[in-house]
Amino acid sequence: QVQLVESGGGLVQAGGSLRLSCTASGRTFSSSTMGWFRQAPGKEREFVARISWSGITTYYADSVKGRFTISRDNAKSTVYLQMNSLKPEDTAVYSCAATRVSDYNLADPQYWGQGTQVTVSS
């Protein structure tokens, strides 16, 4: 059974930092793009960041560019999201996503984690 398990969420003051982790089990995604999405209360889920299988290519939503950094360690089957200079509008449930090898842009994620809550207080 494929599982993506996130950790690292919590409560932080504006301007603070958090590091999210997502560990995969049940199969390897070392050849697949992986990424992060988030959903705030009353809003639709939105894309945050993605990273290619090699870790060389990354892409970010404009709202987090320059503040968030995505990385991965294929040996540990883990993807990370370093979040700096957090703002109250970053408050959301953050979910990890993985996809099939051919879906380079993470357009249609096949696997999702359960999500981890990030709350940024002002």
Side-chain angles (χ1 to χ4, degrees), residues 1 6 20 53 69-71 85 87 104 107 109:
Q1 181 181 357
E6 301 97 336
L20 305 183
W53 68 271
T69 302
I70 189 170
S71 60
S85 302
K87 305 175 181 180
Y104 305 118

Side-chain angles (χ1 to χ4, degrees), residues 4 6 22 33-37 79 95-99 106 109-113:
L4 300 176
E6 301 97 336
C22 169
T33 297
M34 295 186 70
W36 292 91
F37 291 73
V79 175
S95 298
C96 174
T99 188
L106 200 61
Q110 301 295 297
Y111 305 96
W112 294 91

Side-chain angles (χ1 to χ4, degrees), residues 8-9 12 27 29 34 49 55 69 71 73 75 77-78 86 88 94 114 116:
V12 64
R27 61 157 284 180
F29 292 102
M34 295 186 70
T69 302
S71 60
D73 184 338
S77 298
T78 300
L86 282 162
Y94 285 70
Q114 82 288 350
T116 185

